[in-house]
Each structure stands twice: as C-alpha cells, then as structure tokens.
Amino acid sequence: MALNLEGLNPQQLAAVKQTEGPVLILAGAGSGKTRTLTMRIAYLIEEKGVAPQNILAVTFTNKAAREMKERIEQQIGNAINGLWVGTFHSICARIMRIEAENMGYSRNFSIYDTDDQTRAVKKVISTLSVPQQLYSAKMIQNRLSRVKNQFLFPEDLYNMEDRKGLDEFLPSIYMSYQRFLRENNALDFDDLLMKPIKLFQENEDIRRKYADRFRYVLVDEYQDTNRAQYLLVRELVKDHGNICVVGDEDQSIYGWRGADISNILNFKKDYKDSKVFKLEENYRSNNNILTAANAVVKNNSERLGKDLWTKKGDGEKLEVLYGQNEQDEDKKLLEKIHDEVYRNKRSFKDIAILYRTNAQSRIIEDTLRRNAISYKLVGGVKFYDRKEIKDIISYLKLIVNQQDSIALKRIVNFPLRGIGDTTVGKIEKYAEHMQISLYEAMGRVQEVASISPAMSQRVLGFYNLIEKFIRLNNEISPLELASTLAAESGIMHHYQTEYDQYESESRVQNIKELYDSIEEYMNRREQEGQAATLGGFLEEVSLMTDIDRWNTENNSVTLMTLHAAKGLEFPVVFITGLEMGLMPLQRNSADLSQLEEERRLMYVGMTRAEERLYLSLCRNRRRNNNFGPTQPSLFLDEIPRELLIISGYNTASASSDYGRHRRHKTKMKSYLTREKENQSVDDTYKVGQKVYHATFGKGQIRQLEGHGNRMKITVDFTDEGITKKLIKEFANLTPLEE
C-alpha cells in the first residue's frame, strides 16, 4: 500500500524524506516528533526499500517503543519483523544476550536493579577496608553509576591525581564490584551500555556485524543521552553516517543523572554536513501557554533556538494561585479542580498536578484523599519494587540464573524455613573455598561439617524446590510457573495469613497483577511470533519504568514530579510550589548551567498543558523543619504579565514591568550569589551538607553562623533524633560524600 504523507507539515515532510547522512530534527514540545520519526521509518521501508532488519530505532521508554512499532505497522500495513525498536538499555541487553559468551557471561545473566546493586556493593565493601560509617552502600552505588555513565573504568580512576574521600577507595571498590557481578553472572544497568561499547572497540568484526546490519540509526530524545550512549551511537554509524537524532535542547532535564546537553548542541560539529530541521508548530497547547513557555526558556543561553507556535488560538490565560501557606495553596488548587470537573465537565484523568520534589506530594495527597478525589501517584513505590513482587521475582531470577547470589540470599529464608544468616555464611565460605556458586554449595550442604544434619535437610528442601522449578521452566509457561511457585513455596499463604485483612488483600492483589503482567507479556510475544520465556519476561521487568505502567484509562488525577511528566500531556496542568529555593531548587552547589536546567524543567512542565495551566505558590512554607516566608520563583517574573491572572497577591506591584524586571535581576543574583557563598565562605562545611560525628552519628547541617574556627554549626543528627549547635574548632565533624 502507498504511504500517505499528506498529514505531515512541510518541515516534517522534509525531515522524513532526508534519509541519507546525518540529520538533526529539533522538535519542540508537542510538535509531532513521534509521528515524524514513525513516518521516517515507514518511508525508509516502503519508499526506499530498506529492509526492517537494517533499521535501529532508539526510544526513551519501552512504552514509546511499543507505540512506535504499532504506528509503523498501521502505516505500512504489514509486519515489521526484524526491526529493532527499544530503549538504549533494552537494545544493549539484546546485543548482550547474543554476544554474552564473547564477554565471559552466559546468556541467562541477571540484570541488577538499583536495590540489587546496593546489596552487591554492601557485600563487596564488607571485604574491603572502606569506612562504612562514612560511605554507605547506596552512596557508593550512586557514585559508581555516575562513573560508568561517563564510560570510565577502574584503571581510569587509579590514574586520577589527588584522590580524596570516597575517591581514594573507589577504584578498588569498582574492581571488586565488577568481579562480584561476573561471579554472579549479572550485569547492572550501566554495564548494559558499557559492555557492548567495549566489545565494539576491542573486536572490529563484531562491531562491523552490527554496523553493517543497522544501516539506518534513529535516536529519540537525543538531548538526554549520556557519554556512554553517545559513544555507542558513534560506534554504530561511523562507517555509513546514516544517523538521525530527534531532540529538543530546551527539554534536557537529566543532567543530574549524567545526561550531557552538549551531545545535541554539538551535533553539527560531531557530524559534518548534517542537515537540521526545526519542528516549531505545536499541536498540543494553546497560544497563551506557548507564548509563556517561550518567554521563560528564551532566558537560557544553552540552546540552538526555536519558537513554538500554534493554530489553536490564544485560549485561556495562565492563572496564578497564591496561598498563605501550603494548606491554603492546596485549598485553592482543590477549588480549581472542582471548577474544572463540575463547571467545565472535565474528568479527573484530564488533570495533572506537578511538583519539583517528591516530598511535596504528601500534603497534596492528604487534601485529595480528604475530599474523596481519586488520584494516581506516579513515582511512589514502583510496582516491581514492592516487597511481595520482589520476593517472587527473586525466585524467578534464581530459577533462570543459579549464579545470582543476591536473589538467592533474599529468598533462601522466605517464607521462613529456619535457615539463618549464620548457616548461609558457613555455606558461603564453603562455596568460596571450593570455588563454586552459593547455589551449588547449597546442593552440597551435607559436605559442610559445621552444619547439623537437621539444618542440612532444611537447606536441601529449599534447593530441591528450586531444582524442581528449573526443570518445570522448560515444560510449562512463565505464567503457570509463577503461579505454581507462589503456591508451593508458601509465598501466597504467607501474604494471605501474616498481615491484617486490608494489607493481605492488597499484597495478594498485587501478586495477581503480576500474573496479569506475565500474561500480557506472553500475549505480546505471541502477536510478534516470538517465544515467551521466563528470562525474557524478567529482562522486560528489569528495564521497565513507572511511565511504562502508567494507565491513562483510570479516572484519577495524576500526581507526579516535573521530571516524571516528560513526554506526557494533559488538558489541565497545575505546577505547584513556584518559590525561590524550591523552583528553581536551591542546592549546596550550583552554577548558571544548573539554573538553566531548572528553567528547562519549568518549560517542560508548562508545555504538558493543552488547555489550562495553573501556577501555584504560597507566602509561607515549611521546609527542612523550618516554617518561614518565601519568595515567588524568578520563573514567574519571566512570564509576560498580560498572560497571567493573579489571585491572592498584590497585583498592583506585580503589574509593573520595571518592578518585575528589577525583582528578577535581584533573584538571579541572590540565587547564584548564595550558591557561590555556600561554596566559598567556608571550604569545609555548607548548609545542607551531610556529616558524621563519632558520638551522635550521621546528621545534616541546618545552619552556619559566623566564620573561622568560632563558626557555630547547627546539625540535625538523624541517628539520635537530636539537634546540636557545635563550635567548628571542637565539632569533630567528618563531611560525608554526597
């Protein structure tokens, strides 16, 4: 069937037809980038005769990948078997399954999530001379992830000069951690990216195999790529140069987790003779929302430049809700929700409430709950992080990969079997002595002299249970295996009987939802003509995000952070807490580039709104156990006054352009100066810094008064639940790594 390109605007059409060479599509919010990217793939296949297996498309979420595949099939009317579409992590996991043996792994490797990684780090540092009272496993896991995102290896860290603090121990931790992962036939999220790049760099034949296969590479959300992702793309396209990236530098909001905005800013330098297409017509928001968003983001210097516009008309002005305190702010928010639902006939699912930090959701949740308004919290406890789900997933992981000691140790005594840590420790020592896996050692537990025959029988009971399901894994479906395992292991009985009725019902319902998730996976694989395996399901789970599970059919108000809202849209959006220190967020250290990322975050939030945008703040707010006055965010001063309806504020003073400009300059100076002062007044201590005291334990600095050795340091000690004011000269505080 002929491909219908009539629905594309001129800029989209030009971007679709420019199939050869490097292409940068600068796609503003709501400008139809997904449609453009999808049509480009369909055009390559249908009009240019490119085989689907010669195309690689990288998306930001698994949900986006599935939707893209469906859209392409709708456009060209036939199956697209062979086309690779997925996130960087899912694509790399697929490569790793194929090439595992070339990197010293077996194909049934486990993928460790952050909780698994933290447990692994804890095990590793217990064998090293790392001061654990100063550097927690979670802190080390975070640092290792950032190092890996920069594509650095242990040897790179050893070669760094003047290593202090955690950096002094990091190379040996890194090396031991990687050894532990290999022994457990496991990879963490960052390894999924690093291993294929390293393989490509060291094995030209394998690199060329994938470069020759993927003759056309397309990358969505390019502004959010990190160093490792950048290098992976370079390795794949350096022979043919057919790289098309889609992105928006104004929506680069993940610098804190390693994303590098320079990847998109420098695309034309990296890829000579590249073609650039700007998608500036917006199909989502009304003109007042776009004009306001443009006015905010144009204050950034790190941008390539574009102005969004729409044919939809001006629409309603933006409304600013100004409360006396958080409770009053939420009361005004509630009134507007009622107006939207009862006066404007909205559904709850049309409404999203966005905030800068997760801590802000609590009081909003309380307000909605008291008023019987259904809501969905995105970014709370993730479904697959719930205890009952992780318990079953750990059983399934062990069935697939018996070398996974992290999964094994989580479940060996759950439900209770009377197998304690002491027994596991003895078997672990035996395993190390015999150079076998912990699981294999459990099968030989009778050879461990220090373990009694009765205890050996308990261990063997667990071992035989796992062995039974290893055999069943080749005979029954993943759904049958999971449900049978939950029954025979005693997990289902445990959750039905060990908690009160409400919690039992909730946890059992979650387990049943896990079964639904497995069944959905099996149905998808059947539609794709692929086998549904337990290992395949576990890989999908490991790479799933909260947004992948987000259901737009539930009639509930959506609560989420501004970061989580990326890529979504709602008829009505509330952005709350628009005050200095909260939005933009005040950090211990900041510079102009971090302020610009905060501004991009504001822009992302504003451009989620289709028809109505409410901006809320309050005069006084409680933060860090302190209740005090606030200042309106400088981002509010950047929105033209004629676009705003302001309630609960001195509108006379707000209306003066000169006054607003002067206030904006003062806030900018205060924000940056305050950060500079935090860094320069005293090199040792800063407000908000985490510290350790030998008597009082871990704490956080609340206030600094004075200078030099007589400086007074107020510290909230979380371990003891007390607050102390100490003199710097005698404080004996050790700064903790962030």
Side-chain angles (χ1 to χ4, degrees), residues 318-354:
L318 287 64
E319 192 161 350
V320 179
L321 310 177
Y322 207 109
Q324 292 297 322
N325 50 39
E326 297 107 308
Q327 291 78 14
D328 191 39
E329 178 188 13
D330 289 343
K331 178 184 174 184
K332 294 179 185 299
L333 181 148
L334 186 66
E335 290 169 354
K336 293 301 177 182
I337 290 176
H338 279 147
D339 283 350
E340 291 293 344
V341 172
Y342 297 111
R343 194 174 297 173
N344 299 330
K345 308 302 180 187
R346 308 275 191 194
S347 297
F348 286 139
K349 67 180 181 181
D350 295 334
I351 300 170
I353 301 173
L354 312 181

Side-chain angles (χ1 to χ4, degrees), residues 418-470:
I419 304 172
D421 292 342
T422 302
T423 300
V424 174
K426 290 175 181 178
I427 301 172
E428 209 164 10
K429 286 183 179 177
Y430 173 76
E432 290 170 0
H433 176 71
M434 300 299 293
Q435 294 186 323
I436 58 177
S437 72
L438 178 58
Y439 178 77
E440 185 179 345
M442 286 189 170
R444 295 164 57 176
V445 64
Q446 291 170 317
E447 299 175 20
V448 184
S450 58
I451 295 179
S452 69
M455 181 60 73
S456 293
Q457 287 306 308
R458 293 178 191 171
V459 174
L460 285 174
F462 168 76
Y463 177 83
N464 291 331
L465 174 73
I466 300 300
E467 283 292 298
K468 172 183 176 178
F469 281 95
I470 290 171

Side-chain angles (χ1 to χ4, degrees), residues 56 58 353 528:
L56 170 65
V58 186
I353 301 173
E528 295 167 355

Side-chain angles (χ1 to χ4, degrees), residues 82 162 302 357 367 495 597 631 652 708:
D162 195 28
E302 290 183 320
T357 66
T367 300
Y495 284 117
E597 180 156 317
Q631 257 196 317

Side-chain angles (χ1 to χ4, degrees), residues 381-404:
V381 178
K382 296 181 177 67
F383 178 77
Y384 289 102
D385 285 346
R386 297 177 191 274
K387 183 184 183 306
E388 60 273 19
I389 303 304
K390 289 215 72 162
D391 290 337
I392 296 178
I393 292 294
S394 294
Y395 270 97
L396 301 180
K397 278 186 171 183
L398 185 60
I399 289 165
V400 170
N401 174 21
Q402 292 83 58
Q403 290 174 256
D404 189 343

Side-chain angles (χ1 to χ4, degrees), residues 496-623:
Q496 286 170 335
T497 59
E498 293 297 318
Y499 300 89
D500 62 46
Q501 181 181 355
Y502 174 79
E503 188 166 355
S504 286
E505 289 176 355
S506 175
R507 291 180 184 267
V508 169
Q509 188 57 45
N510 285 335
I511 292 172
K512 289 178 178 177
E513 189 173 340
L514 174 64
Y515 299 160
D516 291 342
S517 180
I518 297 174
E519 188 171 17
E520 289 169 11
Y521 159 77
M522 290 168 58
N523 291 339
R524 277 198 307 275
R525 297 297 285 175
E526 184 179 358
Q527 291 169 5
E528 295 167 355
Q530 303 289 328
T533 65
L534 183 59
F537 172 72
L538 291 174
E539 180 173 307
E540 188 171 285
V541 167
S542 297
L543 303 175
M544 191 171 285
T545 67
D546 234 17
I547 293 300
D548 292 323
R549 289 183 48 80
W550 184 59
N551 184 359
T552 57
E553 298 306 311
N554 294 332
N555 190 24
S556 304
V557 174
T558 300
L559 273 61
M560 59 173 68
T561 65
L562 287 157
H563 282 99
K566 175 82 178 298
L568 304 178
E569 56 187 36
F570 303 87
V572 180
V573 169
F574 293 83
I575 303 180
T576 63
L578 286 173
E579 300 136 24
M580 294 300 295
L582 195 54
M583 187 63 194
L585 191 65
Q586 198 90 37
R587 296 181 176 86
N588 289 338
S589 61
D591 53 28
L592 188 58
S593 67
Q594 288 173 317
L595 176 60
E596 292 203 354
E597 180 156 317
E598 292 288 305
R599 186 178 281 113
R600 291 192 292 269
L601 189 57
M602 178 69 177
Y603 173 82
V604 165
M606 295 174 74
T607 53
R608 299 311 94 199
E610 297 173 342
E611 300 169 20
R612 292 303 308 268
L613 177 57
Y614 295 93
L615 309 171
S616 74
L617 66 160
C618 55
R619 294 179 186 277
N620 299 279
R621 183 178 297 275
R622 182 175 297 280
R623 290 190 68 203

